Amino acid sequence: MSELLRSHPIIPVVTIENSDDAAPLARALARGGILIAEITFRTAAAAAAIEAIRKEVPEVLVGAGTVLTPALMRTAESAGAQFLVSPGATPELLSNTPADLPFVPGVASVSEMMMAKDHGFFMQKFFPAEALGGTSFLKAIAAPLTGVSFCATGGIGPENLKSYLSLPNVAAVGGSWMVPQALMAEKNWDEISSLSGAAVTMILGGAKSLRHESVNLGGEA
Ligand code: 3PG
């Protein structure tokens, strides 16, 4: 998972109401240079949306977000999810991860980070990042939590994504800023593409796509 997130350091967190929108949305992200999407299990359309992206836009890596239970892990896996993300790290989730599927547990405290690490999860979702203290928190826990890297999400956008990605213990940032509900409802794929492209440009200085690009923002490789 660490490898995967380092090649995809910006993860759109997508909530989809209508699975027919899944493929056009994924194509819009790809046009902007983002080749990954986390489809949240916050709507009934999530599983069908994941299936549609796997089938119609295979160049976009698709994961399931808001995976709250082991049952949802299995639902997401059956839909074809290529990775799983949860806002939390319950003992049930940490012990019932599908064998071949990368899982990123959500953590909000040092104890949760230690528990997830003890279960072998070295890539964790720091959520909700801004509300928890943001980059100051992540800097403060870098020394005691060696070996753990984070995908920071919650309150991240164009104004602060670079400060997160410049930290050695942050591999990726996630967020909904390039896929806002209003643009999704309007099916404004062009604007979603341009918000995605702007985020990519911000960290890569204009390179076309994040996949296979090495991102060097001063942090560890
Ligand atoms: C998530 O689940 O990662 C968050 O909903 C994303 O947070 P944001 O909407 O503040 O970007």
Side-chain angles (χ1 to χ4, degrees):
M1 193 68 205
S2 300
E3 190 76 6
L4 191 146
L5 290 189
R6 287 189 194 281
S7 357
H8 298 279
I10 299 176
I11 304 179
V13 176
V14 184
T15 299
I16 250 177
E17 297 293 342
N18 179 351
S19 60
D20 290 345
D21 291 341
L25 177 268
R27 286 189 201 102
L29 295 173
R31 279 199 302 279
I34 293 184
L35 298 171
I36 191 167
E38 174 188 325
I39 307 296
T40 59
F41 269 82
R42 296 175 200 172
T43 62
I50 291 169
E51 278 171 26
I53 295 172
R54 282 303 302 275
K55 198 164 146 217
E56 296 175 46
V57 198
E59 65 272 29
V60 170
L61 195 65
V62 61
T66 321
V67 175
L68 302 178
T69 61
L72 261 185
M73 282 178 152
R74 292 189 291 275
T75 304
E77 186 179 28
S78 307
Q82 291 162 294
F83 62 93
L84 305 173
V85 184
S86 178
T90 62
E92 290 74 21
L93 286 173
L94 293 175
S95 311
N96 289 287
T97 312
D100 298 328
L101 215 46
F103 171 53
V104 185
V107 292
S109 71
V110 175
S111 296
E112 290 171 5
M113 291 168 182
M114 289 164 58
M115 195 164 49
K117 185 182 177 188
D118 286 349
H119 279 80
F121 297 97
F122 292 90
M123 177 60 64
Q124 304 174 3
K125 166 170 166 145
F126 180 57
F127 174 79
E130 279 292 285
L132 292 169
T135 52
S136 311
F137 189 118
L138 289 164
K139 275 182 207 159
I141 52 90
L145 281 159
T146 47
V148 179
S149 287
F150 298 94
C151 171
T153 74
I156 293 173
E159 64 293 343
N160 57 5
L161 73 95
K162 272 185 96 162
S163 58
Y164 279 92
L165 286 172
S166 67
L167 299 181
N169 60 347
V170 173
V173 292
S176 59
W177 80 90
M178 74 296 268
V179 284
Q181 283 307 299
L183 294 184
M184 295 283 293
E186 288 167 16
K187 303 185 196 296
N188 192 340
W189 312 127
D190 285 347
E191 186 57 23
I192 287 173
S193 234
S194 100
L195 290 172
S196 306
V200 171
T201 304
M202 201 169 287
I203 64 163
L204 291 180
K208 274 266 183 286
S209 148
L210 289 181
R211 184 183 279 172
H212 305 312
E213 297 291 340
S214 75
V215 179
N216 186 352
L217 295 157
E220 98 191 345

